[in-house]
Amino acid sequence: TPHILLLLTIQHCFRMKLIEVTDRKTENTFLNVPRELYKNDPNWVCPLDDEIRSIFDPGKNNYFNKGDAARWILKDGDGRLIGRIAAFYNEEKANNYTQPTGGIGFFECINDKKSAFKLFDTGKKWLEDKGMEAMDGPVNFGENDTYWGLLVEGFTQQAFGVNYNFPYYRDLFEAYGFKPFFEQTTKHLDLSKPFPERFWKIAEWVMKKPGYSFEHFKSSEVEKYAGDIIKIYNEAWVNHEHFSPIDRQTIMRQFETAKPILEDEYIWFAYYEGEPIGLLVMFPDVNQIFKYFNGKLNFINKLRFLYLKKRKKMDRTRITILGVSPKFQKSGIESAIFWHLREPVLQKRKYIKEIEISWVGDFNPRMMSLLEAMNAKPGKKHVTFRKLFNDDAEEQKAEKVMPEG
């Protein structure tokens, strides 16, 4: 009867137990929530425990320099794991908006609004106490090339660093009052199909122009290329709302972490009269191997990784960064950079079947046009949502505050 259902709902709410992550034990529990929820989902790949830990380690994440983060676990009355959430803010990012805006992420939950709302309420209250007036989610406590946005289309195995979630998550976010802030499109390049000839003609035209040169990353000169990345990144993304300048320490740490999977010829630079102006960063999709590890990269799994890598189990790649300094945009630089990928991918590594380009926001029509010119096919779509704490505040969309770039 309705009365019995109401009573059960009330009992469920009172029996839920919210636990803040404060030590190694609760942190391990936080990491285990998705393992429990997705244990029967063949598409989900468990992120590496150490990587998620590093995001919430002030010694490894410089977003803590001007910000903070907190995490919680949700259990039902019988002690079963039913959800988790993280909340965080960075002062430099938060104050780029009309309302100071923090973020929530690493959200996981059973298909139950009461449970989800308890988690959302917890993150919202924590952010309000920190002076925030809005929250974006699900986002990362870092740059937006990893763990950013809610998956709403393309529920297939995710590439490394890409969010995956159940389809019902969208209903939970929207029922709570989150509104879409921007859409993120991921496209796939099928390497068995040729690029359009017009695309290559643009590339060849650019390369014949005086002053332009192109070269790939060399591990032996990592210090030099780290400086080039910093210059291009900080120029190309300076007007993006979630931007914060990247520093050498962060770059060097990322190179050290990525060393086992780094392919020098997968990272390309464009120069004009010796000055760096364009950048493409691509990695093998290590999730094609990590899916066997359940988030654990111990000594045995490191050996397994090397063995499976040698067996060419990674037949797809993911482009995580593609940018050109504003002065040189709309000059065909991206086409010329792609031209230089032909030899290392199409000729040397013919086992590579697909390149994933993720992601491009709907606030960036120029890059969307580039994907269309390459005949890239639809892959996934994520949505970054925003929740304004004052219900009377004007609804926002990213294109209103985010310049094209």
Side-chain angles (χ1 to χ4, degrees):
T1 67
H3 293 293
I4 293 175
L5 292 175
L6 177 61
L7 180 61
L8 291 173
T9 299
I10 294 173
Q11 287 178 338
H12 172 64
C13 292
F14 277 109
R15 292 177 66 199
M16 286 189 293
K17 186 177 181 181
L18 190 73
I19 304 165
E20 186 171 0
V21 174
T22 57
D23 53 26
R24 188 73 170 190
K25 180 179 179 181
T26 49
E27 183 178 56
N28 288 338
T29 305
F30 182 86
L31 295 170
N32 283 332
V33 173
R35 288 190 182 95
E36 178 64 26
L37 297 184
Y38 293 102
K39 60 186 177 184
N40 295 319
D41 189 330
N43 292 320
W44 179 72
V45 179
C46 185
L48 295 180
D49 288 353
D50 288 344
E51 187 197 13
I52 304 302
R53 283 196 181 98
S54 69
I55 292 170
F56 297 99
D57 183 345
K60 297 180 178 179
N61 187 346
N62 60 12
Y63 274 68
F64 278 99
N65 294 342
K66 293 186 178 181
D68 200 3
R71 290 168 286 172
W72 297 268
I73 308 147
L74 190 63
K75 294 183 177 182
D76 66 12
D78 297 319
R80 290 187 291 262
L81 295 173
I82 59 173
R84 74 174 191 184
I85 198 169
F88 32 79
Y89 74 97
N90 177 272
E91 291 176 3
E92 291 181 345
K93 289 183 177 291
N95 294 319
N96 285 338
Y97 307 103
T98 304
Q99 296 87 7
T101 302
I104 57 100
F106 303 92
F107 168 85
E108 304 290 357
C109 192
I110 60 172
N111 192 2
D112 175 68
K113 288 182 181 179
K114 301 293 184 182
S115 303
F117 286 12
K118 187 171 185 65
L119 290 167
F120 291 145
D121 284 343
T122 301
K124 177 175 177 286
K125 174 65 166 56
W126 186 87
L127 289 168
E128 284 180 318
D129 290 344
K130 301 295 183 179
M132 300 297 108
E133 298 175 14
M135 60 184 179
D136 289 349
V139 296
N140 185 22
F141 190 37
E143 289 301 324
N144 60 17
D145 59 327
T146 54
Y147 305 117
W148 205 279
L150 189 78
L151 181 64
V152 298
E153 291 180 16
F155 293 88
T156 56
Q157 182 180 302
Q158 81 271 29
F160 183 77
V162 176
N163 269 344
Y164 179 87
N165 52 260
F166 293 115
Y168 65 77
Y169 278 25
R170 182 170 193 168
D171 293 335
L172 298 178
F173 272 78
E174 292 180 340
Y176 187 73
F178 280 95
K179 303 291 185 182
F181 188 53
F182 61 83
E183 292 185 352
Q184 307 155 226
T185 297
T186 292
K187 296 239 178 176
H188 294 171
L189 288 172
D190 182 349
L191 298 184
S192 67
K193 298 179 180 179
F195 272 61
E197 280 302 314
R198 179 178 175 275
F199 189 81
W200 293 138
K201 287 180 180 179
I202 293 173
E204 290 169 356
W205 171 74
V206 172
M207 290 185 293
K208 290 177 182 178
K209 296 176 69 175
Y212 290 96
S213 61
F214 301 84
E215 63 184 67
H216 66 74
F217 172 81
K218 300 176 184 66
S219 298
S220 59
E221 301 177 41
V222 63
E223 289 280 354
K224 180 259 187 191
Y225 290 109
D228 291 349
I229 290 173
I230 291 169
K231 185 178 187 300
I232 297 166
Y233 187 89
N234 290 344
E235 287 181 359
W237 281 273
V238 67
N239 292 320
H240 286 204
E241 63 175 331
H242 288 290
F243 168 83
S244 62
I246 198 163
D247 56 48
R248 183 173 293 272
Q249 181 182 5
T250 300
I251 289 290
M252 296 303 291
R253 187 167 58 239
Q254 290 177 345
F255 273 130
E256 184 63 29
T257 301
K259 188 181 293 185
I261 62 168
L262 199 61
E263 300 278 359
D264 286 6
E265 294 177 308
Y266 282 5
I267 301 175
W268 278 86
F269 297 85
Y271 298 87
Y272 181 71
E273 296 183 348
E275 290 296 315
I277 61 169
L279 170 67
L280 180 147
V281 176
M282 183 172 73
F283 292 104
D285 182 11
V286 291
N287 265 8
Q288 291 183 295
I289 295 178
F290 285 169
K291 65 182 180 180
Y292 302 113
F293 296 170
N294 199 29
K296 308 293 184 182
L297 196 57
N298 51 33
F299 178 73
I300 296 300
N301 280 342
K302 288 179 180 179
L303 293 178
R304 293 175 66 199
F305 178 85
L306 294 174
Y307 172 75
L308 293 170
K309 179 184 176 183
K310 191 173 182 179
R311 294 283 304 275
K312 299 180 173 55
K313 291 297 183 180
M314 294 182 289
D315 63 3
R316 62 197 301 266
T317 64
R318 180 193 175 209
I319 293 175
T320 60
I321 298 176
L322 175 59
V324 175
S325 298
K327 182 180 177 181
F328 295 90
Q329 290 175 2
K330 300 182 180 180
S331 299
I333 303 299
E334 298 95 340
S335 298
I337 293 176
F338 269 98
W339 188 93
H340 286 86
L341 282 176
R342 293 200 303 182
E343 182 179 351
V345 177
L346 298 181
Q347 298 175 20
K348 287 186 179 180
R349 298 169 178 85
K350 295 183 179 181
Y351 59 89
I352 300 295
K353 298 177 181 177
E354 184 178 76
I355 296 176
E356 176 178 297
I357 305 174
S358 61
W359 49 264
V360 177
D362 59 2
F363 50 78
N364 195 342
R366 185 183 61 82
M367 192 59 71
M368 293 294 289
S369 297
L370 176 67
L371 297 184
E372 293 297 326
M374 290 189 290
N375 286 345
K377 63 181 181 180
K380 293 178 172 60
K381 181 180 288 185
H382 290 76
V383 175
T384 294
F385 288 92
R386 174 164 291 183
K387 166 69 175 175
L388 302 176
F389 298 163
N390 181 354
D391 293 335
D392 295 327
E394 182 182 356
E395 181 180 345
Q396 300 176 0
K397 292 286 287 183
E399 63 261 27
K400 294 182 180 179
V401 295
M402 201 169 200
E404 181 181 344

